[in-house]
Each structure stands twice: as structure tokens, then as C-alpha cells.
């Protein structure tokens, strides 16, 4: 009869009857009653009232009954901590039982009962079990140390359990070694300071490698991950470790294979790239990666995400394995898209023909997302392999002739990129593109087509008519299309000014007068003033030669790539994000890992006898910041500690003049800058002629005019880029027309545009708060800076303090009024 009978009881007096059965003298009835209790607990019924009766059943030699009682205790001990102490004596007694299974069961259960009052009773039995004669008990006790550390880390350190764990690394049983390594890894993730006690050395690594061959597969994973965090003294030791790890590449378990690849990839950094041994390792890494692609789709996807990283780091590993990544008809879409991405990374002049043939075949598939990606991949091939660009363009034209709407639109988008890469080479196909103008309904495709018309307006006879057709529904267009249309018409006007004057005036009026989009308005004003004041300068700006686009635009930033290589076979390698962006609540999650430094043969990685730093101590070294996803930036910055300013100083920002509004109706020949000179020199638009102090501050010294002089300290770095995820903020305080101001300069030192800036003040002794909202250029492109002056007032909440008896130097006290500066990053395309 099955155990399902324990789940079917519906008696009203169930608890009362169970209590009676638990106190029965018959062992069989008692065991049946405990099974019923566990069944009720499993389906969610509250059976905590039976706690003392179940605890009484612990006094038994029956292993099955003892396991059931221990399971009950683990579930209810937290809600009944006072009564859980009743079981302590039995636990201590069971830890000295003659049966090793009972000893291990007792110490495991005590580790799982997360009750502070029981912890003190656990230490002595745990210490005995760590030195038990049976390896099963020792390996269970090793894991229990990690559980105890999670509850009370100070107790584990004071009781000397770190030393006991380190001794277990030399155990004769490989499973004990593996569990000790797993426990140490868990402790180090939660408490990085434990590195001083649990660091690895060459002798310990040698013992781990010896135990590697006899461990279970998951024990091997723990050992390999631990070895990956060790930095060898020199390349000879690195080669020795690789020699003993490479047999794991042939393991049947994918996790073992990926962990072994991680170790080899990290140690290869210490070797000379041109050495014979490094070449041999590269050849050995290809077969296991190819084998992983014959597994189930889920494992394939994990392998492909890891391969994507490996190929970006060392493309030569899989350069001869292109056919493995060709898509199969029954592959899930997530596998297809990942294979397609890797195919492009491996494309070169030798295999471009077969890659193009495959991509053209994919473009006839039924899955729309996959077809779009395939068409875009053809464009990437053209940009990457110059000698095949003509063949790629021909393939794209063939696809346009199919008249499939989404294929045509993707083809036009990538052809625009090809024009950027190879200017004045393939413009003969523009007429074919213009034939499909009416079918374009996606913003990116429309914007791309408009860019092509504007860029090559001198070659298209009816360019004005084509752009005018887009202008008819200007207000309904996507922002991306509006911006592109504005630029294209200005380009057309500069190339053919006689017959397009009305068209440019119309688009400038629409952009500046009828649009609510600040980006569009600002660009319209810039173009308008350029055209009205200096058409030659406008021509130099708008028609300037554009830089060629890069071959690979989606590569992971090198510093982040190195960190992700250190996390191969983990979730970080699947997400392509460092663990700190998605792991919360663990102090070790924020640590950066880096690849080991390269050393010459015989040269040690130590400095004058100092111990080699463990990989997880590497974050102490100053490194370029890696920008994580936009969704994680705000959360990180909310927890950011804005400490004292750095010593580095920067010159004060140049105040940008506020430009007057242009008047579209009087465009012909009028100076749209209005009182341009006075505005540029700091005067207001409506300055009176006699108001020399305010209107001509820039010329005051020249004409001997007296101006109120006030000292403004140089800007200091308030938020370094390393703490601000790539955003650097410098600032100072000044006084303008009697009003205090905070002058800020925002510098984007990341790889992505930033925007959405905001500032908030702490409650302070002076009641200082912003008088106006913060206004900063948005978005802020990479490697660009934006300056602003934020007016302040003293009408905010005042924090009452005692009298100030000591004055601190500099502006450190001023900096503390800043609570946070938020920004988010987003991707955008510059057309």
C-alpha cells in the first residue's frame, strides 16, 4: 500500500487522535502517527500543537522514525524556539551514536535549525564530527560549518572552525575535500575578510587537484571553481595546473566542462599567446564546446551564452567550427538567435561565402524575429568583411525584390549602415530603395530612408518631393523620424538652396513652434541660427565628413568581458552582467574579479615575498568602471555613499548663454541671435543701454568699468566616475547677483548616453535647497560634459544643531548637503 493514505484523512478530531497515537507504546502506531503529522505539514496544515509529542518520539533507534522527527523539527523549530531546546540533549547524544548515519543526521539537523539558542549547544558536537572517523560524518559537518557561519559568523571564527575546515582540505577522502571547498567558497562569498584565514596556496591547490579525479561531478565543480580563484606564482605553475585540469574537458557533465574551461581561460592569460603550449590549449578547448551543442536546448543556450563570451575574448578557439553554429530547423528561437550572433563574430574572409548562403536561407523562414535578425546579420557581414561587401549588398537587393514588408525594412536599415561604412561606393542602388518608400511603416526604417535621401540629395532629382511627402504627417511621426527629417531637409537646403527655401522654413517652423519635444526644438533652433547667421559655417557643421562606423558595435566592454570570463559557468555568464547587478543581500556579490596578470617564464607573480593576492581581493585595484544595465543603475546609486571630495580639481565650467527665441515669420536675412553680442557676453536680451554692470560683464575690464568682484573656488570632484557608474560630477559654490548657486559639471565617462538627472538635498543647518529644478543636457553622450548652475535658497527645512565651535577647511561640509544624484543610461542611435 502506498503512503497516499496519510494525505486522505478528514477526521474532525484529527489533532487529538494524532496526539494519542504519538504517545502510544507501540512503535508501529507511533511511526504511522508521525507520518500522518508530516503529511499534514506537507499540505500546509498547522500541526505545531503536536511539537512536544513529536519531540518525545526522538528517543528511538529506528532510523526512519528519527528522520521524520528531525524533518518536523526543522520546519517548526523557528516558530517554537523555546520548545526546540527540549531536543538539544537528544541531538548531542545522537552525535555520539555508534551509527555514522545517525551522527551525520543529527549534526545536519542541528545546522538546519536556525535558532540562536541552539547554536551554543551545536559547537561541541560539530567540533567532534569534524574529526569523526567516518568520512560521511566529516563531509556533513563541513557543510554544517557554512550553515552555522550564515547564522553567526563571529561564533564560527571564535570557535576555530576556519582552521578545522582548512584541515579538511588535506583529508584522505575526496568527498570530504569537496564539501570543505564548497563550505569555504560559501563563507568567502558572504565574508570576504575570511580570505586571510582561508586563502589558497600552491600546496593546498595541489591537494585539491589530487582529489579532483575521485570526486563526484558536483564535487569537481566546487573544486574547479575554487582553483579558478587562485593566481599561480608564474606561468610554469599555471601550465602545471592546466595539465591536470584539461582531462575534465572530456567529462559528461556540462557544468564540469564549463568550470574546467573557466580555469583554463583564466590561466591562459598568464602565458605567452604565441607559445606552443597556449596553441595546444586552444586546440583542446574547441571539442568540448562543440560537444555541448549536441545537448538539450536549455544546455545549448547556456553553452552558447558562454561561447559568446569566449569568442569575444579568443575567437581563434572556434574559428574552424563555423558549421556547428548553423541553425537547425527544430532549434528553439532563443537558440537560433544566439547561434546567429556567434556566427557573425566568427565570420571572416575565408568563410563569408557559406555564411552568406546560410543567412540568405534564413531570410525565407517563417519566424519574423529570426528573419529580421538574419537580414541585419547580412549587413553586419558587409561591414565586417570588406571584400564581401558587394556580395552582401547584392544579397540584400535580392531580398528587397521579394517585397516582403519586414524584410525590406530591415534591409534598408542595414544598407544605411553600409553607406556609412563605404561612402560613395554603392549609391547606385538608391533608386531601388526609393521604389519601396511607400511600404515603410516602422520608425527605424523610415528614419534610415530619410537619412539616405538627405545624405545623397544631390544624386536624387526629386529629393525635395520625397522629403515633402514625409513632412505632410510630421506631427504624427516618431521622434526618431522627426529628428532625421529635420536634418535631411537642412542638408537638402544647403545642397540646393534655390528651390528648397520654403521647405526648410516649413520644417523649422514645425520643429520650433509646433513641437513639444525639447530635443527637436533645440535642434531646430540650432539649425535656424546657423542658417541665418553664417551659412558657410552651417555647411561645415551639417555636411561635415562623418566618421566610419566600427565593425563590431555590440561587443562587451573589455573590462566587463574580463570579469565575465571569471564567471563562466554561472548565471553572470548567461545574463552577460556582473553578479553585483542582480545578486542582492550578499557582501561578496559586489566584488569584482579580474583575469590574472601575464608573467614571463620563471618570473613570479609575488612582490618581495608577499603572498599572492586571491582573485577575490582584486577589486582593491582601481579599474575602469563597467556600466551595467539601466535597470540596475538607479538602485545602485540610491545606496551610494557620497563621501568627501577628492583632491583632484577641475576648472570652473563655462556658462552657456541663454539664447532668445527665434521668430520664424521674419527669417529672411534677420539676425536671429537678436542682441547676439550682449547675449554671448553675459547680458540679458532686454538689457538697458546704461546697465553696464549686468549687460557687459564680459567687456567691463576692457572699458575700465567697475564690477563687483567675488571669489569662486575651483570645481572639485564630488562624485568620481568609479562610484557613479561612469558619471563624474564636479562642482563648487558661487554667488550670482546676490543669490547662492551650485555650479555643477556632469561628465559621462561611460560607454552609453545618460539622462534623467536629478538632485536632492539633506536637511541641513542652513535650510539650503534648490530654488529651481536641475536642468542638464539630456541625453549626455559618452565622453561629453554638460555644465549647469543651480540657484539655491535658504527656505528649506533646517536641522537644529548645537553652536559651531570649530570651522572645517575647504568645502567638505558643503558637500554633505548632497544626498544623491540619479541618472539612468539608455541606448540610442545617432543617424
Amino acid at each position: 500500500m502506498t503512503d497516499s493514505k496519510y494525505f486522505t484523512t478528514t477526521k474532525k478530531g484529527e489533532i487529538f487522535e494524532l496526539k494519542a497515537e504519538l504517545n502510544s507504546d507501540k512503535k508501529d502506531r507511533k511511526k504511522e502517527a508521525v507520518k500522518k503529522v508530516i503529511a499534514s505539514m506537507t499540505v500546509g496544515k498547522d500541526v505545531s500543537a503536536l511539537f512536544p509529542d513529536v519531540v518525545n518520539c526522538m528517543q528511538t533507534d529506528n532510523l526512519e522514525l528519527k528522520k521524520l522527527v528531525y524533518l518536523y523539527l526543522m520546519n517548526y523549530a523557528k516558530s517554537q524556539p523555546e520548545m526546540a531546546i527540549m531536543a538539544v540533549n537528544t541531538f548531542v547524544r545522537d552525535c555520539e551514536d555508534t551509527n555514522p548515519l545517525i551522527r551525520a543526521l543529527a549534526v545536519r539537523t542541528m545546522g538546519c535549525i536556525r535558532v540562536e539558542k541552539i547554536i551554543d549547544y551545536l559547537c561541541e558536537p560539530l567540533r567532534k564530527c569534524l574529526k569523526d572517523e567516518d568520512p560521511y560524518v566529516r563531509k556533513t559537518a563541513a557543510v554544517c560549518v557554512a550553515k552555522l557561519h550564515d547564522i553567526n559568523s563571529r561564533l564560527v571564527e571564535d570557535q576555530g572552525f576556519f582552521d578545522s575546515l582548512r584541515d579538511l582540505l588535506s583529508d584522505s577522502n575526496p568527498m570530504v575535500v569537496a564539501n570543505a571547498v564548497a563550505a569555504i567558497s560559501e563563507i568567502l562569498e558572504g565574508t570576504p575578510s575570511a580570505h586571510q584565514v582561508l586563502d589558497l596556496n600552491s600546496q593546498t591547490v595541489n591537494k585539491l587537484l589530487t582529489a579532483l579525479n575521485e570526486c563526484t561531478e558536483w564535487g569537481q565543480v566546487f573544486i574547479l571553481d575554487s582553483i579558478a580563484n587562485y593566481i599561480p606564482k608564474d606561468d610554469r605553475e599555471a601550465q602545471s595546473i592546466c595539465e591536470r585540469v584539461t582531462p575534465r574537458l572530456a567529462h559528461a557533465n556540462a557544468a564540469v566542462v564549463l568550470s574546467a574551461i573557466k580555469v583554463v581561460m583564466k590561466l591562459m592569460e598568464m602565458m605567452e599567446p604565441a607559445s606552443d603550449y597556449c596553441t595546444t590549449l586552444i586546440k583542446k578547448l574547441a571539442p568540448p564546446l562543440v560537444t555541448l551543442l549536441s545537448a538539450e536546448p536549455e544546455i545549448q543556450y547556456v553553452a552558447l551564452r558562454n561561447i559568446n563570451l569566449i569568442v569575444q575574448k579568443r575567437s581563434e578557439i572556434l574559428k574552424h567550427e563555423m558549421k556547428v553554429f548553423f541553425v537547425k530547423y527544430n532549434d528553439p528561437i532563443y537558440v537560433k538567435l544566439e547561434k546567429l550572433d556567434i556566427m557573425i563574430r566568427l565570420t571572416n574572409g575565408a568563410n563569408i561565402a557559406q555564411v552568406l548562403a546560410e543567412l540568405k536561407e534564413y531570410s525565407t523562414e517563417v519566424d519574423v524575429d529570426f528573419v529580421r535578425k538574419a537580414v541585419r546579420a547580412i549587413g553586419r557581414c558587409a561591414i565586417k568583411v570588406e571584400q564581401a561587401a558587394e556580395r552582401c549588398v547584392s544579397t540584400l537587393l535580392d531580398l528587397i525584390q521579394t517585397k516582403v514588408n519586414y524584410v525590406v525594412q530591415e534591409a534598408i536599415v542595414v544598407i544605411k549602415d553600409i553607406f556609412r561604412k563605404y561612402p560613395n561606393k554603392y549609391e547606385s542602388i538608391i533608386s531601388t530603395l526609393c521604389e519601396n518608400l511607400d511600404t515603410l511603416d516602422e520608425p527605424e526604417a523610415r528614419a534610415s530612408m530619410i537619412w539616405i535621401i538627405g545624405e545623397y540629395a544631390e544624386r536624387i532629382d526629386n529629393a525635395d518631393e520625397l522629403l515633402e511627402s514625409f513632412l505632410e504627417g510630421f506631427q504624427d511621426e516618431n521622434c526618431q523620424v522627426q529628428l532625421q527629417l529635420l536634418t535631411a531637409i537642412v542638408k537638402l537646403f544647403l545642397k540646393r538652396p534655390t528651390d528648397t527655401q520654403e521647405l526648410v522654413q516649413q520644417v523649422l517652423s514645425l520643429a520650433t513652434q509646433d513641437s513639444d519635444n525639447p530635443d527637436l526644438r533645440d535642434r531646430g533652433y540650432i539649425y535656424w541660427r546657423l542658417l541665418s547667421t553664417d551659412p558657410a559655417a552651417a555647411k561645415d557643421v551639417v555636411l561635415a565628413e562623418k566618421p566610419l562606423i566600427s565593425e563590431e558595435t555590440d561587443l562587451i566592454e573589455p573590462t566587463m568581458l574580463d570579469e565575465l570570463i571569471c564567471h563562466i559557468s554561472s548565471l553572470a555568464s548567461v545574463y552577460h552582467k556582473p553578479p553585483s547587478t542582480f545578486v542582492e543581500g550578499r557582501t561578496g556579490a559586489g566584488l569584482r574579479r579580474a583575469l590574472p596578470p601575464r608573467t614571463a617564464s620563471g618570473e613570479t607573480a609575488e612582490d618581495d615575498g608577499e603572498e599572492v593576492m586571491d582573485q577575490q581581493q582584486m577589486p582593491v585595484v582601481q579599474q575602469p568602471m563597467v556600466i551595467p544595465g539601466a535597470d540596475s543603475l538607479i538602485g545602485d546609486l540610491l545606496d551610494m555613499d557620497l563621501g568627501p571630495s577628492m583632491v583632484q580639481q577641475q576648472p570652473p565650467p563655462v556658462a552657456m548663454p541663454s539664447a532668445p527665441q527665434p521668430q520664424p515669420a521674419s527669417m529672411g536675412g534677420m539676425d536671429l541671435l537678436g542682441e547676439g553680442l550682449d547675449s554671448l557676453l553675459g547680458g540679458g536680451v532686454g538689457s538697458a543701454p546704461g546697465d553696464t554692470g549686468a549687460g557687459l560683464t564680459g567687456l567691463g575690464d576692457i572699458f575700465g568699468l567697475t564690477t563687483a568682484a567675488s571669489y569662486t573656488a575651483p570645481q572639485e570632484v564630488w562624485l568620481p566616475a568609479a562610484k557613479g557608474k561612469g558619471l563624474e560630477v564636479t562642482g563648487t559654490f558661487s554667488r550670482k547677483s546676490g543669490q547662492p548657486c551650485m555650479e555643477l559639471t556632469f561628465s559621462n565617462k561611460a560607454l552609453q548616453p545618460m539622462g534623467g538627472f536629478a538632485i536632492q538635498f539633506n536637511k541641513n543647518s542652513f535650510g539650503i535647497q534648490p530654488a529651481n529644478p536641475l536642468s542638464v543636457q539630456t541625453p549626455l553622450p559618452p565622453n561629453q560634459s554638460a555644465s549647469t548652475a543651480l540657484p539655491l535658497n535658504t527656505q528649506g527645512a533646517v536641522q537644529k544643531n548645537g553652536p559651531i565651535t570649530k570651522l572645517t577647511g575647504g568645502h567638505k561640509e558643503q558637500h554633505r548637503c548632497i544626498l544623491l544624484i540619479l541618472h539612468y543610461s539608455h541606448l540610442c542611435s545617432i543617424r
Side-chain angles (χ1 to χ4, degrees), residues 124-139:
E124 198 56 38
L126 179 57
R127 186 175 287 106
K128 290 180 180 178
C129 289
L130 284 168
K131 298 180 180 178
D132 197 279
E133 60 182 15
D134 192 281
Y136 180 75
V137 180
R138 294 200 299 275
K139 84 179 187 67

Side-chain angles (χ1 to χ4, degrees), residues 447-629:
S448 298
M449 193 67 227
I450 291 169
W451 182 89
I452 292 171
I453 296 171
E455 188 69 15
Y456 301 102
E458 70 277 8
R459 306 188 185 192
I460 305 173
D461 295 335
N462 61 336
D464 53 342
E465 296 176 9
L466 297 176
L467 292 176
E468 193 171 5
S469 66
F470 284 102
L471 202 59
E472 292 171 0
F474 184 82
Q475 300 295 350
D476 300 325
E477 294 284 3
N478 181 276
C479 173
Q480 179 182 5
V481 178
Q482 290 178 337
L483 288 167
Q484 204 61 261
L485 188 56
L486 172 61
T487 303
I489 291 177
V490 171
K491 287 180 182 177
L492 177 64
F493 173 73
L494 291 170
K495 292 175 181 178
R496 290 157 52 179
T498 54
D499 54 348
T500 56
Q501 189 166 358
E502 290 184 9
L503 187 62
V504 75
Q505 190 162 352
Q506 184 182 355
V507 74
L508 287 173
S509 177
L510 286 170
T512 57
Q513 299 297 311
D514 302 334
S515 174
D516 296 329
N517 187 326
D519 294 334
L520 184 63
R521 273 204 315 271
D522 289 349
R523 187 181 292 191
Y525 286 146
I526 290 172
Y527 286 156
W528 202 324
R529 291 173 186 179
L530 275 172
L531 294 172
S532 63
T533 56
D534 192 348
K539 208 164 191 176
D540 291 340
V541 171
V542 180
L543 301 181
E545 186 175 348
K546 296 163 187 62
L548 301 181
I549 61 175
S550 60
E551 296 177 0
E552 294 284 355
T553 56
D554 59 343
L555 292 176
I556 296 175
E557 192 266 333
T559 311
M560 180 189 276
L561 179 60
D562 287 349
E563 184 178 3
L564 292 178
I565 291 292
C566 299
H567 290 289
I568 285 177
S569 78
S570 70
L571 269 180
S573 64
V574 178
Y575 291 160
H576 287 188
K577 293 180 179 180
S580 57
T581 63
F582 60 87
V583 178
E584 297 179 359
R586 299 301 296 268
T587 55
L591 292 179
R592 289 179 60 89
R593 294 186 183 178
L595 294 176
R598 179 168 297 140
T599 59
S601 182
E603 181 183 333
T604 69
E606 299 180 350
D607 284 331
D608 301 326
E610 292 181 0
E611 290 189 6
V612 179
M613 288 178 62
D614 188 90
Q615 272 293 24
Q616 294 184 359
Q617 289 177 309
M618 292 298 289
V620 178
V621 181
Q622 184 79 17
Q623 294 183 357
M625 283 304 298
V626 176
I627 305 303

Side-chain angles (χ1 to χ4, degrees), residues 692-694 696-697 700-701 704-712 735-738:
T692 56
L696 293 173
T697 53
D701 292 340
L705 299 175
T706 58
T707 57
S710 63
Y711 171 73
T712 300
R735 183 179 294 276
K736 293 183 178 180
S737 303

Side-chain angles (χ1 to χ4, degrees), residues 275-561:
S275 64
D276 293 339
Y277 190 76
C278 198
T279 306
T280 305
L281 281 179
I282 287 174
K283 290 179 180 177
K284 287 182 178 180
L285 286 177
L289 290 171
V290 170
T291 304
L292 290 175
L293 298 182
S294 59
E296 298 83 9
E298 293 78 12
I299 295 179
Q300 279 188 56
Y301 179 73
V302 173
L304 287 167
R305 294 293 283 175
N306 282 272
I307 288 171
N308 201 324
L309 297 175
I310 292 168
V311 166
Q312 290 186 54
K313 186 67 180 175
R314 293 183 179 271
S315 60
E316 64 271 20
I317 293 176
L318 292 165
K319 65 180 179 181
H320 300 304
E321 305 293 341
M322 174 63 81
K323 289 187 177 179
V324 178
F325 300 102
F326 286 174
V327 171
K328 299 176 183 175
Y329 76 95
N330 58 349
D331 281 339
I333 183 62
Y334 54 87
V335 171
K336 287 181 177 180
L337 295 177
E338 204 60 38
K339 280 185 175 181
L340 202 55
D341 200 32
I342 296 172
M343 280 173 60
I344 304 305
R345 300 199 191 283
L346 293 175
T347 300
N348 53 43
N351 56 27
I352 185 66
Q354 60 181 164
V355 171
L356 266 183
E358 278 289 311
L359 293 177
K360 190 173 182 181
E361 189 70 25
Y362 300 160
S363 302
T364 61
E365 292 278 343
V366 293
D367 192 305
V368 175
D369 291 334
F370 181 56
V371 171
R372 287 178 181 274
K373 186 100 179 212
V375 175
R376 197 157 290 209
I378 296 173
R380 287 175 61 187
C381 287
I383 293 169
K384 186 174 183 181
V385 186
E386 185 172 355
Q387 61 266 34
E390 190 167 347
R391 194 185 309 174
C392 293
V393 171
S394 176
T395 304
L396 288 170
L397 287 177
D398 291 342
L399 292 175
I400 289 175
Q401 297 303 328
T402 62
K403 301 298 181 182
V404 179
N405 188 266
Y406 54 86
V407 173
V408 171
Q409 303 200 75
E410 285 296 328
I412 288 176
V413 171
V414 298
I415 285 174
K416 182 261 302 179
D417 291 335
I418 293 173
F419 285 169
R420 286 285 307 275
K421 178 67 175 177
Y422 309 109
N424 304 317
K425 195 169 183 181
Y426 300 109
E427 283 72 17
S428 58
I429 68 172
I430 292 178
S431 58
T432 307
L433 302 181
C434 292
E435 293 173 4
N436 298 277
L437 205 59
D438 297 335
T439 64
L440 306 180
D441 54 15
E442 295 176 8
E444 190 175 10
R446 291 172 71 84
S448 298
M449 193 67 227
I450 291 169
W451 182 89
I452 292 171
I453 296 171
E455 188 69 15
Y456 301 102
E458 70 277 8
R459 306 188 185 192
I460 305 173
D461 295 335
N462 61 336
D464 53 342
E465 296 176 9
L466 297 176
L467 292 176
E468 193 171 5
S469 66
F470 284 102
L471 202 59
E472 292 171 0
F474 184 82
Q475 300 295 350
D476 300 325
E477 294 284 3
N478 181 276
C479 173
Q480 179 182 5
V481 178
Q482 290 178 337
L483 288 167
Q484 204 61 261
L485 188 56
L486 172 61
T487 303
I489 291 177
V490 171
K491 287 180 182 177
L492 177 64
F493 173 73
L494 291 170
K495 292 175 181 178
R496 290 157 52 179
T498 54
D499 54 348
T500 56
Q501 189 166 358
E502 290 184 9
L503 187 62
V504 75
Q505 190 162 352
Q506 184 182 355
V507 74
L508 287 173
S509 177
L510 286 170
T512 57
Q513 299 297 311
D514 302 334
S515 174
D516 296 329
N517 187 326
D519 294 334
L520 184 63
R521 273 204 315 271
D522 289 349
R523 187 181 292 191
Y525 286 146
I526 290 172
Y527 286 156
W528 202 324
R529 291 173 186 179
L530 275 172
L531 294 172
S532 63
T533 56
D534 192 348
K539 208 164 191 176
D540 291 340
V541 171
V542 180
L543 301 181
E545 186 175 348
K546 296 163 187 62
L548 301 181
I549 61 175
S550 60
E551 296 177 0
E552 294 284 355
T553 56
D554 59 343
L555 292 176
I556 296 175
E557 192 266 333
T559 311
M560 180 189 276
L561 179 60

